């Protein structure tokens, strides 16, 4: 499942979405390779618009990719945000980035970031807003903002800490070190490293499509709630009770009894 980079892109970059023929998988492509896929406010607005459409659609899995091989994304366009006043930075740049990345994190569907090259600053924060991260051996990860006299501003301090713990998060943020792909895998920052990233992505997507979509989406919500400190006993009881009345649950039980493959329909 390889997304092609559109030709004739505007200098400001673009965010596009393509879907598989059966409508089960959507690929978000962030394309500004000449600027290492640095993000502008206009690109964030495009991304948000696509996320709103995906959230209400029938797509089962969302893959986030970027154009080129030098960088997944180097984060915010420094030239753009360095021209903002302190109040505009507060009111717009940080607020809008947080809103859009939170929107990505709250998509009901499982999301997969495919990282090739640099994923630094807001680029790492973009990957962190996804549920799963796959990387090439050439991928590197970092949050270098303190070297610019500022801090990670799009959720990196929270999401990275939740994922790898405070000591590792401080290591990347306070020292500006970069973690290579093997280190990121050892820390749990990425789920897999593969030279053939397209084949690896297809494998993960295929496995994700094998689960009942409603149960999968409820489970995602419960894991996110648990990461935020919510107790599981009540939430899992509610989630189990809800999914037990879906057609997918009946299909799953019947397939188990007959030793066949269930056909989930998301209802």
């Amino acid at each position: 499942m390889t997304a092609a980079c559109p030709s004739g892109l505007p200098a400001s970059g673009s965010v596009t979405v393509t879907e598989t023929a059966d409508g089960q998988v959507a690929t978000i492509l962030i394309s500004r390779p000449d600027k290492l896929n640095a993000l502008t406010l206009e690109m964030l607005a495009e991304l948000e618009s696509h996320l709103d459409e995906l959230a209400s659609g029938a797509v089962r899995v969302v893959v986030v990719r970027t154009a080129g091989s030098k960088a997944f994304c180097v984060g915010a366009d420094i030239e753009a945000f360095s021209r903002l006043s302190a109040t505009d930075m507060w009111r717009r740049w940080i607020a809008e980035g947080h809103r859009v990345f939170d929107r990505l994190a709250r998509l009901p569907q499982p999301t997969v970031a495919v990282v090739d090259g640099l994923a630094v600053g807001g680029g790492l924060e973009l990957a962190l807003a996804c549920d799963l991260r796959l990387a090439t051996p050439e991928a590197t990860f970092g949050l270098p903002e303190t070297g610019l006299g500022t801090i990670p501003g799009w959720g990196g301090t929270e999401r990275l800490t939740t994922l790898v713990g405070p000591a590792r998060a401080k290591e990347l943020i306070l020292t500006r070190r970069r973690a290579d792909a093997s280190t990121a895998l050892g820390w749990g920052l990425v789920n897999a490293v593969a030279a053939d990233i397209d084949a690896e992505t297809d494998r993960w997507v295929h496995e994700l499509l094998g689960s009942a979509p409603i149960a999968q989406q409820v489970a995602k919500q419960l894991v996110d709630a648990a990461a935020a400190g919510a107790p599981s006993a009540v939430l899992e009881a509610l989630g189990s009770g809800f999914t037990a009345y879906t057609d997918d649950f009946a299909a799953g039980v019947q397939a188990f009894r007959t030793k066949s493959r269930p056909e989930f329909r998301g209802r």
Side-chain angles (χ1 to χ4, degrees):
M1 184 182 58
T2 305
C5 175
S7 59
L9 291 172
S12 61
S14 68
V15 181
T16 58
V17 171
T18 58
E19 293 186 18
T20 53
D22 59 6
Q24 292 197 94
V25 183
T27 299
I28 296 173
L29 179 67
I30 295 172
S31 192
R32 197 188 181 197
D34 58 319
K35 296 294 184 181
L36 303 181
N37 298 311
L39 296 167
T40 63
L41 287 174
E42 292 77 13
M43 293 169 71
L44 288 174
E46 285 185 67
L47 176 57
E48 184 174 31
S49 177
H50 289 307
L51 294 174
D52 287 341
E53 293 179 5
L54 290 170
S56 58
V59 165
R60 293 275 315 279
V61 177
V62 177
V63 178
V64 177
R65 307 190 72 143
T66 59
S69 59
K70 290 184 178 180
F72 171 71
C73 176
V74 295
D77 186 313
I78 294 176
E79 291 299 324
F81 81 71
S82 64
R83 293 192 293 267
L84 296 175
S85 67
T87 52
D88 282 338
M89 179 78 80
W90 165 54
R91 289 173 177 165
R92 291 204 62 198
W93 194 266
I94 301 303
E96 292 184 23
H98 258 276
R99 187 183 69 244
V100 175
F101 284 13
D102 287 349
R103 189 73 184 92
L104 173 60
R106 291 197 313 272
L107 276 182
Q109 305 94 332
T111 54
V112 183
V114 181
V115 181
D116 188 12
L118 289 171
V120 295
L124 175 52
E125 290 171 309
L126 172 65
L128 290 171
C130 294
D131 299 310
L132 303 167
R133 283 153 295 282
L134 312 178
T136 65
E138 295 76 27
T140 56
F141 305 84
L143 290 173
E145 286 87 347
T146 58
L148 292 173
T150 185
I151 60 169
W154 287 345
T157 57
E158 179 181 0
R159 290 195 176 99
L160 183 62
T161 301
T162 299
L163 198 61
V164 304
R168 295 300 191 193
K170 289 175 183 177
E171 179 176 343
L172 290 189
I173 295 169
L174 303 184
T175 70
R176 310 179 314 284
R177 291 179 183 173
R178 291 179 182 175
D180 61 20
S182 61
T183 300
L185 182 62
W187 287 3
L189 178 55
V190 300
N191 298 89
V193 176
D196 190 343
I197 197 65
D198 291 334
E200 186 71 7
T201 301
D202 286 342
R203 184 174 73 85
W204 280 79
V205 168
H206 177 74
E207 292 180 359
L208 288 168
L209 291 175
S211 295
I214 294 176
Q216 192 175 59
Q217 292 174 20
V218 172
K220 171 178 171 173
Q221 289 182 319
L222 294 182
V223 172
D224 289 341
S232 63
V234 173
L235 294 179
E236 287 183 356
L238 292 172
S240 297
F242 169 60
T243 55
Y245 279 88
T246 62
D247 292 343
D248 281 349
F249 179 71
V253 171
Q254 179 63 21
F256 175 80
R257 289 172 175 165
T258 59
K259 296 181 173 57
S260 59
R261 185 173 181 175
E263 292 186 13
F264 296 126
R265 303 183 184 278
R267 60 188 186 212

Short mmCIF file of all heavy atoms in Angstrom, two decimals, residues 124 135 139-141 163-164 172 178-193:
data_model
loop_
_atom_site.label_atom_id
_atom_site.label_comp_id
_atom_site.label_asym_id
_atom_site.label_seq_id
_atom_site.Cartn_x
_atom_site.Cartn_y
_atom_site.Cartn_z
N LEU A 124 7.86 14.20 15.32
CA LEU A 124 7.74 13.13 16.31
C LEU A 124 6.40 13.23 17.02
O LEU A 124 5.74 12.20 17.28
CB LEU A 124 8.88 13.20 17.32
CG LEU A 124 8.82 12.20 18.49
CD1 LEU A 124 8.63 10.78 18.01
CD2 LEU A 124 10.06 12.33 19.37
N ALA A 135 8.80 1.92 11.50
CA ALA A 135 9.95 2.74 11.08
C ALA A 135 10.88 1.97 10.17
O ALA A 135 10.98 0.74 10.25
CB ALA A 135 10.71 3.23 12.31
N ALA A 139 15.28 5.67 10.16
CA ALA A 139 14.49 6.64 10.92
C ALA A 139 15.22 7.08 12.19
O ALA A 139 15.92 6.29 12.83
CB ALA A 139 13.14 6.03 11.31
N THR A 140 15.08 8.35 12.52
CA THR A 140 15.61 8.88 13.78
C THR A 140 14.56 9.78 14.41
O THR A 140 13.75 10.39 13.72
CB THR A 140 16.91 9.69 13.57
OG1 THR A 140 16.67 10.74 12.60
CG2 THR A 140 18.04 8.80 13.07
N PHE A 141 14.62 9.86 15.74
CA PHE A 141 13.57 10.52 16.50
C PHE A 141 14.17 11.50 17.50
O PHE A 141 15.19 11.19 18.13
CB PHE A 141 12.73 9.47 17.24
CG PHE A 141 12.16 8.41 16.36
CD1 PHE A 141 12.91 7.30 15.99
CD2 PHE A 141 10.87 8.53 15.88
CE1 PHE A 141 12.39 6.32 15.16
CE2 PHE A 141 10.33 7.55 15.05
CZ PHE A 141 11.09 6.46 14.69
N LEU A 163 4.56 7.13 26.79
CA LEU A 163 5.02 5.99 26.00
C LEU A 163 6.33 5.40 26.52
O LEU A 163 6.46 4.17 26.62
CB LEU A 163 5.20 6.44 24.55
CG LEU A 163 5.28 5.35 23.49
CD1 LEU A 163 3.99 4.53 23.46
CD2 LEU A 163 5.54 5.97 22.12
N VAL A 164 7.30 6.24 26.85
CA VAL A 164 8.63 5.71 27.20
C VAL A 164 9.06 6.01 28.63
O VAL A 164 10.13 5.58 29.06
CB VAL A 164 9.70 6.25 26.22
CG1 VAL A 164 9.35 5.91 24.79
CG2 VAL A 164 9.92 7.76 26.39
N LEU A 172 15.60 12.80 25.76
CA LEU A 172 15.46 13.37 24.42
C LEU A 172 15.22 14.87 24.46
O LEU A 172 15.77 15.62 23.64
CB LEU A 172 14.30 12.69 23.68
CG LEU A 172 14.49 11.23 23.25
CD1 LEU A 172 13.34 10.80 22.36
CD2 LEU A 172 15.81 11.03 22.52
N ARG A 178 19.12 12.35 19.67
CA ARG A 178 18.22 11.64 18.76
C ARG A 178 18.34 10.14 19.00
O ARG A 178 19.43 9.62 19.20
CB ARG A 178 18.56 11.97 17.30
CG ARG A 178 18.23 13.42 16.93
CD ARG A 178 18.59 13.71 15.49
NE ARG A 178 18.32 15.09 15.13
CZ ARG A 178 18.63 15.64 13.97
NH1 ARG A 178 19.24 14.90 13.03
NH2 ARG A 178 18.35 16.91 13.72
N ALA A 179 17.21 9.49 18.95
CA ALA A 179 17.17 8.02 19.08
C ALA A 179 17.09 7.41 17.69
O ALA A 179 16.22 7.80 16.89
CB ALA A 179 15.96 7.60 19.92
N ASP A 180 18.01 6.49 17.39
CA ASP A 180 17.91 5.81 16.10
C ASP A 180 16.80 4.76 16.16
O ASP A 180 16.16 4.56 17.19
CB ASP A 180 19.26 5.20 15.70
CG ASP A 180 19.77 4.15 16.69
OD1 ASP A 180 18.96 3.61 17.48
OD2 ASP A 180 20.98 3.89 16.68
N ALA A 181 16.57 4.09 15.04
CA ALA A 181 15.44 3.18 14.95
C ALA A 181 15.54 2.03 15.93
O ALA A 181 14.55 1.66 16.58
CB ALA A 181 15.31 2.65 13.52
N SER A 182 16.73 1.45 16.07
CA SER A 182 16.88 0.32 16.99
C SER A 182 16.67 0.75 18.43
O SER A 182 16.07 0.02 19.23
CB SER A 182 18.24 -0.34 16.81
OG SER A 182 19.29 0.56 17.10
N THR A 183 17.18 1.93 18.79
CA THR A 183 16.96 2.45 20.14
C THR A 183 15.48 2.71 20.38
O THR A 183 14.93 2.36 21.43
CB THR A 183 17.76 3.75 20.35
OG1 THR A 183 19.15 3.48 20.19
CG2 THR A 183 17.52 4.32 21.74
N ALA A 184 14.83 3.32 19.39
CA ALA A 184 13.40 3.60 19.51
C ALA A 184 12.60 2.32 19.69
O ALA A 184 11.63 2.28 20.46
CB ALA A 184 12.91 4.36 18.28
N LEU A 185 13.00 1.26 19.00
CA LEU A 185 12.31 -0.02 19.15
C LEU A 185 12.52 -0.58 20.55
O LEU A 185 11.58 -1.08 21.18
CB LEU A 185 12.84 -1.00 18.10
CG LEU A 185 12.19 -2.39 18.08
CD1 LEU A 185 10.70 -2.30 17.75
CD2 LEU A 185 12.90 -3.30 17.08
N GLY A 186 13.74 -0.49 21.06
CA GLY A 186 14.02 -0.97 22.40
C GLY A 186 13.28 -0.20 23.48
O GLY A 186 12.90 -0.77 24.51
N TRP A 187 13.06 1.08 23.25
CA TRP A 187 12.33 1.90 24.22
C TRP A 187 10.82 1.70 24.14
O TRP A 187 10.08 2.13 25.02
CB TRP A 187 12.62 3.38 23.98
CG TRP A 187 13.98 3.82 24.38
CD1 TRP A 187 15.00 3.05 24.89
CD2 TRP A 187 14.49 5.16 24.31
NE1 TRP A 187 16.11 3.83 25.14
CE2 TRP A 187 15.83 5.12 24.79
CE3 TRP A 187 13.98 6.37 23.88
CZ2 TRP A 187 16.64 6.26 24.87
CZ3 TRP A 187 14.77 7.50 23.94
CH2 TRP A 187 16.08 7.45 24.44
N GLY A 188 10.34 1.11 23.07
CA GLY A 188 8.90 1.01 22.87
C GLY A 188 8.32 2.23 22.18
O GLY A 188 7.09 2.40 22.13
N LEU A 189 9.20 3.06 21.62
CA LEU A 189 8.74 4.25 20.91
C LEU A 189 8.13 3.87 19.56
O LEU A 189 7.20 4.52 19.08
CB LEU A 189 9.91 5.22 20.72
CG LEU A 189 9.68 6.50 19.95
CD1 LEU A 189 8.53 7.31 20.53
CD2 LEU A 189 10.97 7.34 19.96
N VAL A 190 8.67 2.81 18.93
CA VAL A 190 8.09 2.29 17.71
C VAL A 190 7.73 0.83 17.92
O VAL A 190 8.27 0.15 18.80
CB VAL A 190 9.05 2.43 16.50
CG1 VAL A 190 9.38 3.89 16.24
CG2 VAL A 190 10.31 1.61 16.68
N ASN A 191 6.81 0.34 17.10
CA ASN A 191 6.33 -1.03 17.23
C ASN A 191 7.11 -2.02 16.38
O ASN A 191 7.15 -3.21 16.68
CB ASN A 191 4.84 -1.11 16.86
CG ASN A 191 3.98 -0.27 17.77
OD1 ASN A 191 3.76 0.90 17.51
ND2 ASN A 191 3.50 -0.86 18.84
N ALA A 192 7.72 -1.53 15.30
CA ALA A 192 8.48 -2.42 14.42
C ALA A 192 9.43 -1.58 13.58
O ALA A 192 9.17 -0.40 13.29
CB ALA A 192 7.55 -3.22 13.52
N VAL A 193 10.55 -2.20 13.18
CA VAL A 193 11.51 -1.60 12.26
C VAL A 193 11.69 -2.57 11.11
O VAL A 193 11.92 -3.77 11.33
CB VAL A 193 12.87 -1.33 12.95
CG1 VAL A 193 13.88 -0.80 11.94
CG2 VAL A 193 12.69 -0.35 14.11
#
